[in-house]
């Protein structure tokens, strides 16, 4: 019976979705904060150390909190909206400021001690910042309209005594020298007085006793400089010394270009996936496309609600999440097609297909979540942002692809309008068996029945081991081309309006006394030059280099520095992340399936990780912190293929009840691989579409990340088909020899958690 009400309900839901998205999307997008890599800005990781004159000072949680508050007060002087200040570990603070126009002044404002002192010409301390009234510094103008700073002191009598003492000194020595961050034993008025740009702020002459609580600081200041000076004095001196351990800055032009290109890549990738789903899966594909639109919207909405900062890797995570969401739709669609082919009605096929696909979707999402959670815990900065965005994408995809897709497709199927129309589900009538034949979905012939995967396992193992051996040899010869994230040093990225050449940059860098031959030219028009230095540039060197390059090329360069300490920590955390992700997947897979499947899955994932490392070594591609993110993403994503295969093996095992021969075991593995191979190919194909779009059209800074994902996807598909199931077969064959018979029902009864539905 045809029910128009369900079609109307479907259309009404589409109207509600479209209206909700169209009326609120612009507001949601405009409210999302962009990271510094998308709008320009800088990030600094400070190590907090005791003041040099307070060696016994201990860096406690309270000291870190006070320092973070002092930094926030200074940032407020800059007028920067939504700064990010994070305390990390026991002695570090990370500061991220997006959208800062004058990055040089901002960095100086943050790192300066702001310890105000008044001294005589012999450097004796007369007054300090504690004598300044709270909020008493103001930017103003003198009687000749020149910018200056006025200070209001707490005790005018004390200031009168100081000026009385100074005024009685000989002419030329009756100076009150005002210092910021005077360093005992290093600084002196005698050394600085003859310099063109002395370190002290000013040195006014005092010829008489001054009975006032106001002090004027004048000099060759700009209006902005007086505002910053007054602001930092009012914010107060930092209670500690800050040492830069890592820094990165992104020019506004780079950020704008990265945002535009990556969004374009996302649009291209999404359109390709949508077309594929519509052409191959027809009606379920249409539902998948609708839920994909809702998926993207909900991702952005959640991101706005949690007040998240969207970065370039974050956009990549959303685009990758599209592939994960499509995967769930493909698993369900393939199951429905199987049910239609064995002669079930459209309605019954939908119900059974949705039910049978749930366990594989659930398990694949959980393993992806495990890898993302580990990445979030061990990652830093942008990698942590990538991880949290990917976690949101995985959770949202489960809602849209499982709950949303099934509601929408259920309305269409239950309307009765599509009964007897298998072509709308991508099934040819010639492939459908009559219900009287009592066919099971597990007995259906496939396009891959001629392949005997188990029989060829030794060939696969040999080829894989040969690659491992060759990879190890080449890795030993070439080593990894480590980026500054792991090797430490400085990375400079120059953006030019015209094409660049390596020779041109070598000559230019020599002319500005920063020679380097470690130069890579990139970009669609060869307009980007990336230069690496082994040295960890100081803040002054960075500021000078940025100004020089900006004058020459008209755009502020991106400059990143990593200290050796941070580089070693990043490498150590990368290894820890891979280990913990592997352990988590082994435990979960053993819990949901059996330990043999868990071991097989991890061995194949380690193979995938090594494959990516070896390829990057052979082709001398730079390995940076995003490469580790790519490896862990593949660890979580390629396990999906293996999980789906193992899920089908488990289903075929239950149907067999008892396995007594090696041939029976081989039949189960071959049948499971053949039944899931089409789904594996289609899933990888859709993800490859979005990754290739990122690779071709995305920002230059995530190109290596996209390439690593592409390599990992190819390797992951190979390993899940040709290694994982065959390894499990080898383990299970040994068990069969020991036990004589594998009683599946008995084994399942021993594991109450081995049901098709997830235990939560």
């Amino acid at each position: 019976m045809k029910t128009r009400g369900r079609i109307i309900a479907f259309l009404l839901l589409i109207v509600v979705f479209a209206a909700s998205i169209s009326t609120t999307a612009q507001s949601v997008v405009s409210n999302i904060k962009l990271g510094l890599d998308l709008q320009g800005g800088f990030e600094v990781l400070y190590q907090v150390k005791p003041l040099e004159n307070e060696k016994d000072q201990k860096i406690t949680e309270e000291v870190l909190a006070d320092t973070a508050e002092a930094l926030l007060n200074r940032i407020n002087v800059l007028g920067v909206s939504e700064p990010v200040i994070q305390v990390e570990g026991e002695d570090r603070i990370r500061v991220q400021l997006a959208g800062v126009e004058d990055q040089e002044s901002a960095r100086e404002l943050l790192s300066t001690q702001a310890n105000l002192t008044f001294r005589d010409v012999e450097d004796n301390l007369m007054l300090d910042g504690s004598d300044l009234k709270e909020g008493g510094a103001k930017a103003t103008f003198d009687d000749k309209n020149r910018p200056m700073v006025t200070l209001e002191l707490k005790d005018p009598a004390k200031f009168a005594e100081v000026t009385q003492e100074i005024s009685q000194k000989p002419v030329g020595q009756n100076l009150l020298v005002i210092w910021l961050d005077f360093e005992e034993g290093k600084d002196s008025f005698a050394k600085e007085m003859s310099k063109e740009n002395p370190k002290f702020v000013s040195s006014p002459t005092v010829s008489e006793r001054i009975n006032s609580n106001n002090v004027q600081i004048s000099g060759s200041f700009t209006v902005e400089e007086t505002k910053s000076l007054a602001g930092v004095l009012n914010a107060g001196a930092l209670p500690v010394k800050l040492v830069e351990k890592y820094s990165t800055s992104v020019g506004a032009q780079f950020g704008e270009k990265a945002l535009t290109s990556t969004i374009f890549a996302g649009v291209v990738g999404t359109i390709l996936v949508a077309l594929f789903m519509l052409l191959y899966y027809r009606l379920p594909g249409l539902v998948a496309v609708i839920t994909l639109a809702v998926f993207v919207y909900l991702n952005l909405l959640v991101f706005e609600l949690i007040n998240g900062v969207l970065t370039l890797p974050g956009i990549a995570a959303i685009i990758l999440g599209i592939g994960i969401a499509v995967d769930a739709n493909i698993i369900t669609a393939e199951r429905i097609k199987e049910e239609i082919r064995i002669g079930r009605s459209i309605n019954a096929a939908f119900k059974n297909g949705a039910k049978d696909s749930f366990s594989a979707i659930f398990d694949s999402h959980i393993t992806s979540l495990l890898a993302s959670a580990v990445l979030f815990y061990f990652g830093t900065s942008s990698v942590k942002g990538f991880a949290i965005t990917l976690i949101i994408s995985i959770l949202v995809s489960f809602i849209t692809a499982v709950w949303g897709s099934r509601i929408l497709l259920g309305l269409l199927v239950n309307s009765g309008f599509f009964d007897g129309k298998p072509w709308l589900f991508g099934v040819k009538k010639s492939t459908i068996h009559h219900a009287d034949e009592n066919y099971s979905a597990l007995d259906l012939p496939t396009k891959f029945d001629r392949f005997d995967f188990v029989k060829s396992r030794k060939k696969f193992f040999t080829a894989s081991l040969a690659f491992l051996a060759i990879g190890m040899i080449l890795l030993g010869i070439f080593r990894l081309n480590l980026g500054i994230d792991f090797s430490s040093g400085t990375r400079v990225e120059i953006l030019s309006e015209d094409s660049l050449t390596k020779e041109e940059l070598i000559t230019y860098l020599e002319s500005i006394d920063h020679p380097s031959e470690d130069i890579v030219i990139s970009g669609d028009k060869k307009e980007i030059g990336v230069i690496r230095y082994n040295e960890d540039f100081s803040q002054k060197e960075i500021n000078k280099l940025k100004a020089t390059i900006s004058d020459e090329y008209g755009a502020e360069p991106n400059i990143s520095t990593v200290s050796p300490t941070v580089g070693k920590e990043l490498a150590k955390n990368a290894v820890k992340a891979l280990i913990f992700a592997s352990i988590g997947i082994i435990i979960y897979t053993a819990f949901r399936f059996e330990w043999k499947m868990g071991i097989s899955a991890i061995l194949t994932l380690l193979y995938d990780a090594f494959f990516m490392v070896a390829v990057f070594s052979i082709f001398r591609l730079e390995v940076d912190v995003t490469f580790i993110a790519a490896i862990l993403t593949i660890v979580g994503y390629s396990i999906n293929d293996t999980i789906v295969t193992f899920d089908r093996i488990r289903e075929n095992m239950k149907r067999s009840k008892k396995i007594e021969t090696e041939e029976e075991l081989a039949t189960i593995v071959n049948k499971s691989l053949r039944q899931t191979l089409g789904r594996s190919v289609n899933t990888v194909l859709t993800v490859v579409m979005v990754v290739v779009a990122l690779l071709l059209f995305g920002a230059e800074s995530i190109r290596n990340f996209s390439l690593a994902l592409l390599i990992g996807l190819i390797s992951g598909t190979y390993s899940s088909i040709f290694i994982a199931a065959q390894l499990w077969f080898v383990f299970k064959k040994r068990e069969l020899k020991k036990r004589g018979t594998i009683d599946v029902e008995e084994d399942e009864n021993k594991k109450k958690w081995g049901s098709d539905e997830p235990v939560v």
Side-chain angles (χ1 to χ4, degrees):
M1 185 179 76
K2 296 181 180 179
T3 310
R4 289 187 178 181
R6 297 185 186 276
I7 296 293
I8 293 172
F10 173 84
L11 294 175
L12 284 174
L13 280 175
I14 302 305
V15 170
V16 170
F17 290 153
S20 300
I21 293 173
S22 61
T23 55
T24 61
Q26 187 174 355
S27 172
V28 169
V29 172
S30 62
N31 288 335
I32 292 177
K33 295 180 292 184
L34 298 179
L36 60 94
D37 55 354
L38 294 176
Q39 61 169 315
F42 72 91
E43 173 184 342
V44 184
L45 177 64
Y46 293 113
Q47 183 172 10
V48 181
K49 291 188 173 183
L51 295 170
E52 292 189 3
N53 58 346
E54 295 186 31
K55 298 294 184 182
D56 296 332
Q57 181 185 19
K58 292 183 179 180
I59 306 302
T60 62
E61 289 185 12
E62 186 178 353
V63 170
L64 289 173
D66 290 343
T67 306
E69 185 178 357
L71 288 172
L72 181 60
N73 290 336
R74 294 185 178 194
I75 291 169
N76 291 336
V77 174
L78 297 170
V80 177
S81 61
E82 306 293 350
V84 177
I85 302 177
Q86 297 172 324
V87 174
E88 296 185 1
E90 298 178 351
D91 63 349
R92 290 182 181 172
I93 295 177
R94 187 181 298 273
V95 179
Q96 295 175 325
L97 300 182
V100 179
E101 294 182 4
D102 189 352
Q103 294 184 20
E104 180 180 345
S105 298
R107 287 180 72 169
E108 287 181 358
L109 181 65
L110 285 176
S111 60
T112 185
Q113 196 66 44
N115 188 10
L116 179 70
T117 56
F118 297 78
R119 300 174 183 268
D120 60 18
V121 294
E122 295 175 350
D123 305 323
N124 296 311
L125 179 62
M126 313 299 287
L127 297 166
D128 60 26
S130 63
D131 295 303
L132 182 65
K133 191 173 182 179
E134 186 176 347
K138 294 180 181 178
T140 183
F141 298 90
D142 63 12
D143 54 0
K144 295 182 179 179
N145 206 34
R146 291 174 300 191
M148 70 173 186
V149 175
T150 61
L151 306 177
E152 187 175 356
L153 301 175
K154 294 178 181 176
D155 187 356
K158 186 176 180 181
F159 183 56
E161 291 177 7
V162 169
T163 53
Q164 173 71 28
E165 183 180 339
I166 296 291
S167 66
Q168 293 176 355
K169 294 189 176 188
V171 176
Q173 295 185 25
N174 57 337
L175 306 176
L176 183 61
V177 187
I178 304 172
W179 293 83
L180 264 183
D181 300 339
F182 180 90
E183 295 184 67
E184 297 285 353
K186 293 183 180 180
D187 295 333
S188 73
F189 177 75
K191 285 196 299 185
E192 296 291 328
M193 62 180 293
S194 59
K195 293 181 180 179
E196 184 178 349
N197 295 306
K199 189 176 177 181
F200 55 81
V201 180
S202 66
S203 56
T205 301
V206 180
S207 56
E208 60 182 1
R209 178 188 178 95
I210 302 174
N211 295 304
S212 172
N213 63 342
N214 289 318
V215 180
Q216 294 180 350
I217 303 178
S218 58
S220 54
F221 295 122
T222 64
V223 173
E224 289 301 320
E225 286 172 342
T226 57
K227 287 181 179 179
S228 294
L229 179 57
V232 76
L233 290 175
N234 286 331
L238 290 174
V240 293
K241 181 180 179 182
L242 297 180
V243 179
E244 284 192 12
K245 306 302 289 184
Y246 167 88
S247 71
T248 184
S249 64
V250 179
Q253 295 92 333
F254 272 101
E256 183 180 350
K257 182 177 180 181
L259 179 60
T260 304
S261 60
T262 306
I263 288 178
F264 177 72
V267 171
V268 170
T270 304
I271 289 174
L272 289 174
V273 170
L275 288 174
F276 174 81
M277 293 299 292
L278 286 170
L279 293 173
Y280 194 87
Y281 290 106
R282 317 289 172 80
L283 192 64
L286 172 65
V287 171
V289 171
I290 293 169
T291 55
L292 278 182
V294 177
F295 164 82
V296 174
Y297 172 76
L298 288 179
N299 263 284
L300 296 175
L301 179 62
V302 171
F303 217 74
E304 183 207 5
L305 292 176
I306 67 172
N307 205 27
V309 178
L310 187 63
T311 62
L312 202 53
I315 294 177
I318 293 175
I319 296 172
L320 192 61
I322 291 172
I324 295 173
V326 167
D327 180 33
N329 282 283
I330 288 176
I331 292 173
T332 303
E334 288 289 343
R335 286 283 193 168
I336 293 173
K337 286 173 67 176
E338 288 177 351
E339 294 293 323
I340 292 174
R341 287 181 61 200
I342 64 173
R344 295 195 193 280
S345 67
I346 298 296
N347 192 295
F350 164 71
K351 288 180 179 177
N352 289 343
K355 176 178 175 292
D356 293 341
S357 63
F358 183 82
S359 62
I361 295 171
F362 180 84
D363 290 327
S364 61
H365 275 68
I366 291 295
T367 49
S368 295
L369 271 176
L370 280 171
S372 301
V374 170
L375 188 59
F376 176 77
Y377 184 81
F378 288 103
T380 58
S381 189
S382 59
V383 173
K384 201 178 280 282
F386 169 81
I388 191 66
T389 310
L390 192 57
I391 288 171
I392 293 170
S393 295
I394 292 169
L395 294 174
V396 171
S397 80
F398 191 79
I399 295 170
T400 57
V402 176
W403 182 72
S405 291
R406 293 181 187 196
I407 286 179
L408 292 176
L409 190 56
L411 286 172
L412 294 176
V413 167
N414 292 322
S415 70
F417 277 90
F418 304 98
D419 290 346
K421 299 182 178 68
W423 62 272
L424 283 173
F425 294 81
V427 179
K428 295 179 181 178
K429 279 193 175 182
S430 59
T431 64
I432 299 175
H433 295 268
H434 197 276
D436 294 339
E437 297 179 54
N438 291 322
Y439 250 93
S440 165
L442 301 177
D443 295 325
L444 285 171
T446 70
K447 301 174 184 177
F448 312 102
D449 286 346
R450 64 184 182 278
F451 297 116
D452 191 335
F453 297 99
V454 174
K455 186 178 180 180
S456 303
R457 67 185 183 281
K458 291 182 179 179
K459 295 178 183 178
F460 302 143
F461 291 161
T462 301
S464 302
L465 289 172
F467 175 79
L468 285 176
I470 294 170
M472 287 179 182
I473 293 169
L474 293 177
L475 185 60
I477 296 171
F478 294 113
R479 305 285 180 181
L480 284 174
N481 179 22
L482 295 175
I484 64 166
D485 291 333
F486 300 114
S487 62
S488 75
T490 301
R491 185 178 191 269
V492 181
E493 199 171 357
I494 296 175
L495 177 64
S496 172
E497 293 181 357
D498 304 314
S499 297
L500 295 169
T501 64
K502 185 174 180 179
E503 293 72 22
E504 174 192 343
L505 281 179
I506 288 174
T507 304
Y508 172 69
L509 293 170
E510 287 177 349
S511 70
I512 61 173
D513 297 325
H514 280 287
S516 175
E517 293 191 0
D518 190 349
I519 299 172
V520 176
I521 304 298
S522 60
D524 297 332
K525 301 176 182 178
K526 303 295 182 184
E527 77 280 17
I528 298 174
V530 180
I531 308 103
R532 292 199 322 191
Y533 297 92
N534 294 327
E535 302 86 6
D536 180 11
F537 286 6
S538 67
Q539 183 178 324
K540 288 184 179 179
E541 288 177 304
I542 292 172
N543 291 339
K544 183 179 178 182
L545 186 59
K546 288 180 75 170
T548 304
I549 293 175
S550 297
D551 290 342
E552 178 68 22
Y553 290 98
E556 196 171 80
N558 296 347
I559 300 181
S560 302
T561 63
V562 180
S563 70
T565 304
V566 173
K568 290 177 182 177
E569 287 179 4
L570 286 171
K572 189 186 297 182
N573 284 341
V575 174
K576 284 183 180 178
L578 188 57
I579 291 172
F580 280 97
S582 300
I583 292 173
I585 289 172
I586 286 177
I587 293 172
Y588 182 79
T589 310
F591 177 77
R592 285 287 291 148
F593 298 90
E594 61 174 3
W595 69 266
K596 295 181 183 69
M597 288 183 174
I599 296 295
S600 301
I602 290 305
L603 288 174
T604 56
L605 290 180
L606 292 176
Y607 175 86
D608 296 338
F610 180 79
F611 188 93
M612 294 167 70
V613 170
V615 171
F616 265 59
S617 172
I618 293 168
F619 292 100
R620 310 306 300 146
L621 299 171
E622 186 179 65
V623 175
D624 56 15
V625 71
T626 60
F627 176 77
I628 303 303
I631 286 182
L632 286 174
T633 303
I634 290 300
V635 164
Y637 193 82
S638 69
I639 190 70
N640 289 4
D641 276 345
T642 307
I643 289 292
V644 170
T645 303
F646 284 162
D647 184 71
R648 186 59 68 97
I649 287 175
R650 180 176 61 181
E651 191 175 344
N652 281 316
M653 288 274 288
K654 287 180 181 178
R655 188 165 178 262
S656 297
K657 296 184 179 179
K658 282 189 179 182
I659 300 169
E660 297 178 343
T661 66
E662 181 182 324
E663 287 72 24
E664 289 177 341
L665 190 62
T667 299
I668 288 173
V669 173
N670 276 325
K671 186 185 290 186
S672 301
L673 283 169
R674 292 164 188 159
Q675 291 167 348
T676 56
L677 189 57
R679 170 263 163 202
S680 297
V681 171
N682 288 346
T683 297
V684 170
L685 186 60
T686 54
V687 183
V688 164
M689 287 178 186
V690 295
V691 171
V692 169
L694 277 176
L695 187 61
L696 295 178
F697 307 112
E700 188 68 30
S701 57
I702 60 168
R703 195 148 291 179
N704 273 6
F705 168 79
S706 305
L707 182 59
L709 283 180
L710 181 60
I711 294 168
L713 285 168
I714 296 169
S715 173
T717 305
Y718 167 82
S719 64
S720 64
I721 296 170
F722 300 112
I723 300 178
Q726 278 78 357
L727 279 174
W728 177 84
F729 172 81
V730 171
F731 293 145
K732 208 68 177 175
K733 187 177 74 169
R734 290 177 182 175
E735 180 188 340
L736 181 63
K737 285 182 179 179
K738 287 182 180 179
R739 294 173 57 181
T741 301
I742 297 176
D743 192 322
V744 180
E745 284 189 342
E746 184 181 327
D747 290 347
E748 286 296 318
N749 287 333
K750 291 177 182 178
K751 306 182 299 180
K752 292 183 180 179
W753 41 264
S755 62
D756 281 340
E757 294 298 321
V759 179
V760 293

